Amino acid sequence: MERSQLLQLILLHTAWLVGSGQLHYSVPEESQHGTFVGRIAQDLGLEVDELVPRMFRMVSKEHKDYLEVNVQNGILFVNSRIDREELCAQSPMCTIHLEMIVDKPLKIFHAEVEISDINDNVPIFPVSEHQLFILESRLSGSYFPLEGASDADIGLNGLLTYNLSPNNYFQLHEEKHGSHRKSLALVLKNSLDREKSPVHHLLLTAMDGGQPELSGTMQLEIMVLDANDNVPIFNQTVYEVNILENITVGTSVITLTAHDSDEGSNKEILYSFSNMASGLLRHTFSIDSSTGEIKTKEEIDFEDIKLFELQVEAADQGSYSLVGHCKVLIQVFDVNDNAPEVSVTSLSVPVMEDSPLGTVVALISVSDRDGGINAQVSCTLWPPGLPFKLVSTFKNYYSLVVAEPLDREREAEYKLVVTAQDHGAPSLSTTSSLVVPIGDVNDNVPTFGQASYTVFVKENNPPGAHIFTVSASDKDVAENALISYRIDEKLWPLSSYISVHSESGKLYALQPLDYEELKLLEFQVSAKDAGLPSLCGNITVQVFVVDENDNVPTVSRAAEVPILLVAPVAAGHMVGKIHAMDADSGYNAWLRYELHEGSGSSWRVGLYSGEISTTHALDEADGIGNSVTLWVLVKDHGKPVQSATATLSISLVASTQPVQADDHLLRMGGSPMALVDTTNIYLIIAICSVSSLFLLVIIVYMALKCQAQLKDAAVHGPGTATLVCASEVGSWSYSQRHSRNLGYVAGEAGIKSDLMVFSPNIPVFAMNAEVGNAKELVPNSSGEVSQVEDLRSLILTLLYSFRI
């Protein structure tokens, strides 16, 4: 409809121009050079031949030389490119006014060349890309104006229509107001969601009505502006984290991340613990409000808390802040950082030494604050070889029981170490010390230090003198080791001689002892403990009375019988022998003889034999009938020396005087036949004694062999004893049943002399300085007197007895 009206206007305008005498031509724009426009010479009624002579020329005042006339043929043609839009812009009619002038005669012709439009311009939008910012909270039906396109062409070529690319949110609205161009707008048909589609890209196309149709486009970028309509969301609703309890303070545990689909401040998130979080959690952990990193603030102990449960919030920074939530479960794993604990819940001490095997001594429990394998504990007992053992009664419970027989005397107290070791890596252990005393049972008899005691006491001791101390020991303790002493008087009463202190074991001599009356006291001392039942031990004590030089030598009265010598007497003739004795013993009874000064030089006396002999020959010239008195001094070897004096009267007679008997017979008051008979009797006795002695030696030897097996020695009173004495000269011994004097008659001087036996192996005793006591030190290498020496001493003693 619009196109037909436009065509009618063009035809009317052309007719008006023709009618006014003005030529009117039309040529499309963009025609090429030389395009035919019209036969202007013919149309003006001019001959072609007269154009040059009449100086035909064409003038266009306001336009360039778009057109030109060929004066050779009178044709109007296009001289240069004509752009209607450049020439006339948007004017509906675009014409070029031409004036043709000819001379001779001068005449002016007018012509008008209309430049017709062609569709050579595409619709053009003000911008090729256009951004729109629309809040996602805008309601459906909202308008958003757009700037339309323009087309330099006119008419149908400039008539534009629009098209919007398909989408779910916008539609194009066109509205025309009169002759003005259409106004365009986008209408929101569905609600926007920035988080779903933050940007919408649309293509707006403008199409003209030309042939061919040209179009132009504009890219629409619709930015959906954020509204705080999204809550921050964590990646997980529940986070599970495993940490070790020995984690270092300040170590990162986890970094939480929450996302907010909004933008700007609506997207900015701050992390924090929930307001409901306990103070313990806030003291243990910290959270970075910007990054969401959770760190430890203090040390963590598995034994206190094994699981932490944190409520964490993520809040955006919108005007109306929205908060997201998540839960963080922090599982604490155990580290073997706790040593086992040992507890003794019951300790029954002391443990009696007669306790049966399996007796429970203590109950022991162990524990470990760690968990899992770190809490598995095993117990051991140290040191090895103890008479105890650990018996597992229940999990982590043990009984300390007696495993071997106990002996308090061997070990009175045991120090045990119980070691509890867990199975962690590395393993930790704890030790606990126990002291287990062993209770005493009266199972030990009091014992003395040696099998028997030998005591030497000097005679003439003061009454009540302490002579010795017996001491017994008992391996038991307390009342079981409280010992009392007493003397066993079952076989021979000793109460008048010896007493013992019941507590100290001191032996006292109740009266002075006389060696000449009593040489040996042998008795048993019993040591009894106070246990229930009580036990008793015995010891044999031999008290030897040691001789002191308290007796003066005694001269036999037979020595005072006058002696008659028949002259002449040869030198060295023995005229007699002093017969003396001493009640003492040993050195104290060993006598020596000396002539008193003034006894004359014709006589001498044997130092130890007492034999008096002449120093030179005597004859009648020496005084027949005169009597000589000799004073012989008899001394012992004691300290101090005791002495006696013997007086001997000797008369010298002539050989013609009858002599009834020899010297010996005269002194003895008998006859020579009696001397012979007495000597024979002695020989017979000696022969018989030697035979008996041999048999006795065999019996004694067998008895000595069995002596070690005898446990209880008989208690003896005064009687036979073997005296062993140490002196500065040497060791010697003799045996006698009773004290007897040693004396010899003059005729037996050759065969009856004092017996001296040297015995180097006799035991040596240490003397008690206080009361003259003595303890045996070291008898010999075997600890007792050699049996061989005893046998030898016995034989010599017997021989000596027979000689006497």
Side-chain angles (χ1 to χ4, degrees), residues 13-35:
H13 179 68
T14 304
W16 178 78
L17 290 177
V18 173
S20 61
Q22 188 175 24
L23 297 177
H24 182 80
Y25 298 100
S26 175
V27 62
E29 63 177 332
E30 303 294 338
S31 296
Q32 296 182 357
H33 173 74
T35 298

PDB file of all heavy atoms in Angstrom, residues 13-35:
ATOM      1  N   HIS A  13       5.003  14.271 -10.176  1.00  0.00           N
ATOM      2  CA  HIS A  13       6.098  15.226 -10.169  1.00  0.00           C
ATOM      3  C   HIS A  13       6.739  15.299 -11.548  1.00  0.00           C
ATOM      4  O   HIS A  13       7.075  16.397 -12.043  1.00  0.00           O
ATOM      5  CB  HIS A  13       7.136  14.822  -9.114  1.00  0.00           C
ATOM      6  CG  HIS A  13       8.319  15.736  -9.040  1.00  0.00           C
ATOM      7  ND1 HIS A  13       8.222  17.059  -8.579  1.00  0.00           N
ATOM      8  CD2 HIS A  13       9.617  15.569  -9.436  1.00  0.00           C
ATOM      9  CE1 HIS A  13       9.384  17.629  -8.669  1.00  0.00           C
ATOM     10  NE2 HIS A  13      10.274  16.744  -9.200  1.00  0.00           N
ATOM     11  N   THR A  14       6.891  14.216 -12.217  1.00  0.00           N
ATOM     12  CA  THR A  14       7.470  14.201 -13.573  1.00  0.00           C
ATOM     13  C   THR A  14       6.589  14.946 -14.565  1.00  0.00           C
ATOM     14  O   THR A  14       7.057  15.708 -15.428  1.00  0.00           O
ATOM     15  CB  THR A  14       7.679  12.743 -14.030  1.00  0.00           C
ATOM     16  OG1 THR A  14       8.501  12.066 -13.055  1.00  0.00           O
ATOM     17  CG2 THR A  14       8.328  12.668 -15.387  1.00  0.00           C
ATOM     18  N   ALA A  15       5.335  14.727 -14.497  1.00  0.00           N
ATOM     19  CA  ALA A  15       4.387  15.414 -15.407  1.00  0.00           C
ATOM     20  C   ALA A  15       4.438  16.913 -15.179  1.00  0.00           C
ATOM     21  O   ALA A  15       4.325  17.715 -16.125  1.00  0.00           O
ATOM     22  CB  ALA A  15       2.980  14.876 -15.174  1.00  0.00           C
ATOM     23  N   TRP A  16       4.567  17.304 -13.921  1.00  0.00           N
ATOM     24  CA  TRP A  16       4.640  18.748 -13.637  1.00  0.00           C
ATOM     25  C   TRP A  16       5.895  19.329 -14.240  1.00  0.00           C
ATOM     26  O   TRP A  16       5.879  20.442 -14.790  1.00  0.00           O
ATOM     27  CB  TRP A  16       4.648  18.934 -12.104  1.00  0.00           C
ATOM     28  CG  TRP A  16       4.773  20.388 -11.731  1.00  0.00           C
ATOM     29  CD1 TRP A  16       3.802  21.330 -11.744  1.00  0.00           C
ATOM     30  CD2 TRP A  16       5.979  21.051 -11.360  1.00  0.00           C
ATOM     31  NE1 TRP A  16       4.269  22.536 -11.379  1.00  0.00           N
ATOM     32  CE2 TRP A  16       5.645  22.405 -11.119  1.00  0.00           C
ATOM     33  CE3 TRP A  16       7.329  20.658 -11.190  1.00  0.00           C
ATOM     34  CZ2 TRP A  16       6.598  23.336 -10.708  1.00  0.00           C
ATOM     35  CZ3 TRP A  16       8.207  21.642 -10.766  1.00  0.00           C
ATOM     36  CH2 TRP A  16       7.868  22.918 -10.532  1.00  0.00           C
ATOM     37  N   LEU A  17       6.989  18.607 -14.147  1.00  0.00           N
ATOM     38  CA  LEU A  17       8.228  19.119 -14.709  1.00  0.00           C
ATOM     39  C   LEU A  17       8.122  19.236 -16.233  1.00  0.00           C
ATOM     40  O   LEU A  17       8.590  20.206 -16.840  1.00  0.00           O
ATOM     41  CB  LEU A  17       9.403  18.200 -14.331  1.00  0.00           C
ATOM     42  CG  LEU A  17       9.814  18.230 -12.827  1.00  0.00           C
ATOM     43  CD1 LEU A  17      10.914  17.215 -12.620  1.00  0.00           C
ATOM     44  CD2 LEU A  17      10.230  19.616 -12.392  1.00  0.00           C
ATOM     45  N   VAL A  18       7.554  18.277 -16.861  1.00  0.00           N
ATOM     46  CA  VAL A  18       7.421  18.333 -18.340  1.00  0.00           C
ATOM     47  C   VAL A  18       6.521  19.499 -18.744  1.00  0.00           C
ATOM     48  O   VAL A  18       6.759  20.226 -19.698  1.00  0.00           O
ATOM     49  CB  VAL A  18       6.867  16.987 -18.862  1.00  0.00           C
ATOM     50  CG1 VAL A  18       6.557  17.088 -20.355  1.00  0.00           C
ATOM     51  CG2 VAL A  18       7.876  15.891 -18.576  1.00  0.00           C
ATOM     52  N   GLY A  19       5.516  19.628 -17.977  1.00  0.00           N
ATOM     53  CA  GLY A  19       4.590  20.699 -18.298  1.00  0.00           C
ATOM     54  C   GLY A  19       5.196  22.062 -18.083  1.00  0.00           C
ATOM     55  O   GLY A  19       4.766  23.044 -18.709  1.00  0.00           O
ATOM     56  N   SER A  20       6.176  22.182 -17.268  1.00  0.00           N
ATOM     57  CA  SER A  20       6.806  23.486 -16.984  1.00  0.00           C
ATOM     58  C   SER A  20       7.941  23.790 -17.939  1.00  0.00           C
ATOM     59  O   SER A  20       8.617  24.784 -17.772  1.00  0.00           O
ATOM     60  CB  SER A  20       7.330  23.520 -15.534  1.00  0.00           C
ATOM     61  OG  SER A  20       8.304  22.520 -15.367  1.00  0.00           O
ATOM     62  N   GLY A  21       8.227  22.862 -18.912  1.00  0.00           N
ATOM     63  CA  GLY A  21       9.270  23.100 -19.904  1.00  0.00           C
ATOM     64  C   GLY A  21      10.631  22.694 -19.406  1.00  0.00           C
ATOM     65  O   GLY A  21      11.631  23.145 -19.939  1.00  0.00           O
ATOM     66  N   GLN A  22      10.705  21.945 -18.394  1.00  0.00           N
ATOM     67  CA  GLN A  22      11.972  21.537 -17.788  1.00  0.00           C
ATOM     68  C   GLN A  22      12.135  20.039 -18.022  1.00  0.00           C
ATOM     69  O   GLN A  22      11.206  19.265 -17.836  1.00  0.00           O
ATOM     70  CB  GLN A  22      11.978  21.854 -16.284  1.00  0.00           C
ATOM     71  CG  GLN A  22      13.338  21.647 -15.614  1.00  0.00           C
ATOM     72  CD  GLN A  22      13.308  22.096 -14.158  1.00  0.00           C
ATOM     73  OE1 GLN A  22      12.221  22.127 -13.575  1.00  0.00           O
ATOM     74  NE2 GLN A  22      14.436  22.517 -13.652  1.00  0.00           N
ATOM     75  N   LEU A  23      13.387  19.671 -18.438  1.00  0.00           N
ATOM     76  CA  LEU A  23      13.628  18.252 -18.696  1.00  0.00           C
ATOM     77  C   LEU A  23      13.859  17.516 -17.373  1.00  0.00           C
ATOM     78  O   LEU A  23      14.444  18.040 -16.433  1.00  0.00           O
ATOM     79  CB  LEU A  23      14.848  18.092 -19.608  1.00  0.00           C
ATOM     80  CG  LEU A  23      14.729  18.695 -21.028  1.00  0.00           C
ATOM     81  CD1 LEU A  23      16.027  18.539 -21.801  1.00  0.00           C
ATOM     82  CD2 LEU A  23      13.575  18.050 -21.769  1.00  0.00           C
ATOM     83  N   HIS A  24      13.391  16.304 -17.340  1.00  0.00           N
ATOM     84  CA  HIS A  24      13.526  15.530 -16.114  1.00  0.00           C
ATOM     85  C   HIS A  24      14.026  14.135 -16.490  1.00  0.00           C
ATOM     86  O   HIS A  24      13.430  13.458 -17.312  1.00  0.00           O
ATOM     87  CB  HIS A  24      12.189  15.400 -15.383  1.00  0.00           C
ATOM     88  CG  HIS A  24      12.299  14.646 -14.081  1.00  0.00           C
ATOM     89  ND1 HIS A  24      12.758  15.252 -12.944  1.00  0.00           N
ATOM     90  CD2 HIS A  24      12.045  13.346 -13.767  1.00  0.00           C
ATOM     91  CE1 HIS A  24      12.743  14.355 -11.985  1.00  0.00           C
ATOM     92  NE2 HIS A  24      12.320  13.176 -12.468  1.00  0.00           N
ATOM     93  N   TYR A  25      15.134  13.796 -15.857  1.00  0.00           N
ATOM     94  CA  TYR A  25      15.727  12.466 -16.102  1.00  0.00           C
ATOM     95  C   TYR A  25      15.849  11.740 -14.759  1.00  0.00           C
ATOM     96  O   TYR A  25      15.885  12.348 -13.680  1.00  0.00           O
ATOM     97  CB  TYR A  25      17.108  12.578 -16.747  1.00  0.00           C
ATOM     98  CG  TYR A  25      17.060  13.252 -18.103  1.00  0.00           C
ATOM     99  CD1 TYR A  25      17.400  14.616 -18.223  1.00  0.00           C
ATOM    100  CD2 TYR A  25      16.727  12.515 -19.228  1.00  0.00           C
ATOM    101  CE1 TYR A  25      17.371  15.218 -19.466  1.00  0.00           C
ATOM    102  CE2 TYR A  25      16.709  13.142 -20.472  1.00  0.00           C
ATOM    103  CZ  TYR A  25      17.030  14.448 -20.556  1.00  0.00           C
ATOM    104  OH  TYR A  25      16.997  15.082 -21.772  1.00  0.00           O
ATOM    105  N   SER A  26      16.071  10.494 -14.867  1.00  0.00           N
ATOM    106  CA  SER A  26      16.259   9.672 -13.647  1.00  0.00           C
ATOM    107  C   SER A  26      17.361   8.651 -13.902  1.00  0.00           C
ATOM    108  O   SER A  26      17.363   8.014 -14.974  1.00  0.00           O
ATOM    109  CB  SER A  26      14.958   8.946 -13.266  1.00  0.00           C
ATOM    110  OG  SER A  26      15.185   8.098 -12.176  1.00  0.00           O
ATOM    111  N   VAL A  27      18.183   8.516 -12.892  1.00  0.00           N
ATOM    112  CA  VAL A  27      19.279   7.544 -13.007  1.00  0.00           C
ATOM    113  C   VAL A  27      19.507   6.935 -11.594  1.00  0.00           C
ATOM    114  O   VAL A  27      19.458   7.626 -10.585  1.00  0.00           O
ATOM    115  CB  VAL A  27      20.565   8.207 -13.522  1.00  0.00           C
ATOM    116  CG1 VAL A  27      21.062   9.267 -12.587  1.00  0.00           C
ATOM    117  CG2 VAL A  27      21.627   7.155 -13.799  1.00  0.00           C
ATOM    118  N   PRO A  28      19.663   5.691 -11.538  1.00  0.00           N
ATOM    119  CA  PRO A  28      19.910   5.071 -10.201  1.00  0.00           C
ATOM    120  C   PRO A  28      21.292   5.500  -9.654  1.00  0.00           C
ATOM    121  O   PRO A  28      22.227   5.750 -10.407  1.00  0.00           O
ATOM    122  CB  PRO A  28      19.880   3.561 -10.475  1.00  0.00           C
ATOM    123  CG  PRO A  28      19.205   3.419 -11.793  1.00  0.00           C
ATOM    124  CD  PRO A  28      19.509   4.649 -12.610  1.00  0.00           C
ATOM    125  N   GLU A  29      21.292   5.614  -8.373  1.00  0.00           N
ATOM    126  CA  GLU A  29      22.582   5.930  -7.741  1.00  0.00           C
ATOM    127  C   GLU A  29      23.554   4.765  -7.958  1.00  0.00           C
ATOM    128  O   GLU A  29      23.166   3.656  -8.315  1.00  0.00           O
ATOM    129  CB  GLU A  29      22.402   6.179  -6.250  1.00  0.00           C
ATOM    130  CG  GLU A  29      21.890   4.968  -5.457  1.00  0.00           C
ATOM    131  CD  GLU A  29      21.787   5.201  -3.975  1.00  0.00           C
ATOM    132  OE1 GLU A  29      22.561   6.039  -3.463  1.00  0.00           O
ATOM    133  OE2 GLU A  29      20.953   4.545  -3.288  1.00  0.00           O
ATOM    134  N   GLU A  30      24.748   5.082  -7.751  1.00  0.00           N
ATOM    135  CA  GLU A  30      25.815   4.100  -7.851  1.00  0.00           C
ATOM    136  C   GLU A  30      25.970   3.563  -9.288  1.00  0.00           C
ATOM    137  O   GLU A  30      26.559   2.501  -9.497  1.00  0.00           O
ATOM    138  CB  GLU A  30      25.596   2.928  -6.867  1.00  0.00           C
ATOM    139  CG  GLU A  30      25.475   3.337  -5.427  1.00  0.00           C
ATOM    140  CD  GLU A  30      26.777   3.923  -4.861  1.00  0.00           C
ATOM    141  OE1 GLU A  30      27.843   3.648  -5.405  1.00  0.00           O
ATOM    142  OE2 GLU A  30      26.702   4.670  -3.848  1.00  0.00           O
ATOM    143  N   SER A  31      25.393   4.394 -10.307  1.00  0.00           N
ATOM    144  CA  SER A  31      25.556   3.956 -11.704  1.00  0.00           C
ATOM    145  C   SER A  31      26.996   4.142 -12.121  1.00  0.00           C
ATOM    146  O   SER A  31      27.694   5.068 -11.646  1.00  0.00           O
ATOM    147  CB  SER A  31      24.644   4.763 -12.633  1.00  0.00           C
ATOM    148  OG  SER A  31      23.293   4.495 -12.310  1.00  0.00           O
ATOM    149  N   GLN A  32      27.432   3.298 -13.027  1.00  0.00           N
ATOM    150  CA  GLN A  32      28.824   3.359 -13.469  1.00  0.00           C
ATOM    151  C   GLN A  32      29.054   4.544 -14.405  1.00  0.00           C
ATOM    152  O   GLN A  32      28.113   5.111 -14.980  1.00  0.00           O
ATOM    153  CB  GLN A  32      29.180   2.052 -14.165  1.00  0.00           C
ATOM    154  CG  GLN A  32      29.128   0.832 -13.274  1.00  0.00           C
ATOM    155  CD  GLN A  32      29.528  -0.440 -14.008  1.00  0.00           C
ATOM    156  OE1 GLN A  32      29.793  -0.397 -15.231  1.00  0.00           O
ATOM    157  NE2 GLN A  32      29.541  -1.558 -13.258  1.00  0.00           N
ATOM    158  N   HIS A  33      30.299   4.897 -14.526  1.00  0.00           N
ATOM    159  CA  HIS A  33      30.666   5.989 -15.429  1.00  0.00           C
ATOM    160  C   HIS A  33      30.260   5.604 -16.870  1.00  0.00           C
ATOM    161  O   HIS A  33      30.524   4.517 -17.322  1.00  0.00           O
ATOM    162  CB  HIS A  33      32.190   6.234 -15.378  1.00  0.00           C
ATOM    163  CG  HIS A  33      32.668   7.202 -16.377  1.00  0.00           C
ATOM    164  ND1 HIS A  33      32.460   8.576 -16.269  1.00  0.00           N
ATOM    165  CD2 HIS A  33      33.363   7.039 -17.569  1.00  0.00           C
ATOM    166  CE1 HIS A  33      32.987   9.184 -17.305  1.00  0.00           C
ATOM    167  NE2 HIS A  33      33.553   8.270 -18.132  1.00  0.00           N
ATOM    168  N   GLY A  34      29.610   6.600 -17.487  1.00  0.00           N
ATOM    169  CA  GLY A  34      29.175   6.402 -18.885  1.00  0.00           C
ATOM    170  C   GLY A  34      27.762   5.891 -19.024  1.00  0.00           C
ATOM    171  O   GLY A  34      27.276   5.656 -20.134  1.00  0.00           O
ATOM    172  N   THR A  35      27.131   5.727 -17.841  1.00  0.00           N
ATOM    173  CA  THR A  35      25.744   5.226 -17.905  1.00  0.00           C
ATOM    174  C   THR A  35      24.879   6.274 -18.621  1.00  0.00           C
ATOM    175  O   THR A  35      24.960   7.464 -18.318  1.00  0.00           O
ATOM    176  CB  THR A  35      25.228   4.938 -16.486  1.00  0.00           C
ATOM    177  OG1 THR A  35      26.045   3.921 -15.890  1.00  0.00           O
ATOM    178  CG2 THR A  35      23.794   4.463 -16.513  1.00  0.00           C
TER     179      THR A  35
END
